[in-house]
Structures are given as C-alpha cells and as structure tokens.
C-alpha cells in the first residue's frame, strides 16, 4: 500500500493562497481515491475535497467550493489541493487520505479512507 506525506502548509494572510501536496510512496497510487480533510483545534476532522483515481470525479465541501481545487498527477504519485481566498476559519491541520479504488462508504466520510498522512498546518491570519 502507499504511504502519504503532506507538505505546503504555512502561515498566510487572509485572502492568500497555498498549494498543498500529498506525495505517495509505494505502488499503485493511481488505483487510490484521494481525500483531503482538515481538523481545527478542538473540532472534528472535516471533509474538504476528494478526487477519484483518474481525476475524473472531484468533490468539495460547500464551505470551500469555488476557493479550493483538487487535482492529481499519477505520473508523479502526488495529489494537490490549491487553496485560495483563504479565511481565518480555514486554519487547521490538513490531512490527505487514500482509499483503494473508491472510498468504502461516502466520499466525504473519514472512515471511508484507511491510509492517512501526518498532516500539514495551515494558519490564516486576519
């Protein structure tokens, strides 16, 4: 199975942008659906976005539609989350997750993904 490592987080002012990366090691990355979730201090882990194995289907939480864009490059074993028009409420640790084929339940449910990265911190200042 793959292992996932997120990068690209940081401190940014409101209205700014970041590009998060989810780099996978191991084989068959192209067979995994990828999801992005985030968790703010004291809150549950929330769904942000997901992409199918071939990039043909994408999903977004209502709170990020129009501001975040998910993509993947299977040749580079990497998935991306471009986050823009950032707001202080976007501050969280962002995690990428993988599920073989497709998530076992719903695309927006954390339990549907069985492989997780360690997370990358995004902090948005007002």
């Amino acid at each position: 199975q793959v292992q996932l490592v997120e990068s690209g987080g940081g401190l940014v002012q409101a209205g700014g942008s970041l590009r998060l990366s989810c780099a996978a090691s191991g084989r068959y990355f192209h067979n995994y659906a990828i999801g992005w979730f985030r968790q703010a201090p004291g809150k549950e882990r929330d769904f942000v976005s997901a992409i199918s194995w071939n990039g043909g289907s994408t999903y977004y939480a209502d709170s990020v539609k129009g501001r975040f864009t998910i993509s993947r490059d299977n040749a580079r074993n990497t998935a991306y989350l471009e986050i823009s028009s950032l707001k202080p409420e976007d501050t969280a640790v962002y995690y990428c997750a993988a599920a073989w084929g497709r998530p076992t339940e719903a695309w927006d449910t954390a339990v549907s993904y069985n492989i997780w990265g360690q997370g990358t911190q995004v902090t948005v200042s007002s």
Side-chain angles (χ1 to χ4, degrees), residues 29-34 51-56 72 74 101 107:
F29 173 75
H30 56 275
N31 283 346
Y32 287 85
I34 298 295
I51 189 167
S52 61
W53 66 274
N54 64 351
R72 66 189 297 159
N74 286 344
W107 286 89

Side-chain angles (χ1 to χ4, degrees), residues 24-120:
S25 59
R27 301 177 68 183
Y28 306 120
F29 173 75
H30 56 275
N31 283 346
Y32 287 85
I34 298 295
W36 284 93
F37 291 76
R38 65 186 181 184
Q39 188 166 20
K43 296 189 177 181
E44 295 185 351
R45 190 167 296 190
D46 292 332
F47 171 74
V48 175
S49 184
I51 189 167
S52 61
W53 66 274
N54 64 351
S57 298
T58 58
Y59 307 85
Y60 295 93
D62 288 342
S63 60
V64 307
K65 281 180 182 176
R67 300 189 299 124
F68 291 13
T69 303
I70 192 170
S71 62
R72 66 189 297 159
D73 184 341
N74 286 344
R76 296 180 181 271
N77 279 12
T78 304
Y80 304 96
L81 185 69
E82 302 208 35
I83 56 179
S84 62
S85 302
L86 283 163
K87 307 173 183 180
E89 52 264 43
D90 293 317
T91 295
V93 177
Y94 284 70
Y95 299 90
C96 66
W100 179 266
R102 59 177 295 143
T104 55
E105 298 182 18
W107 286 89
D108 61 354
T109 304
V111 297
S112 297
Y113 300 81
N114 62 320
I115 301 170
W116 290 82
Q118 84 291 345
T120 186

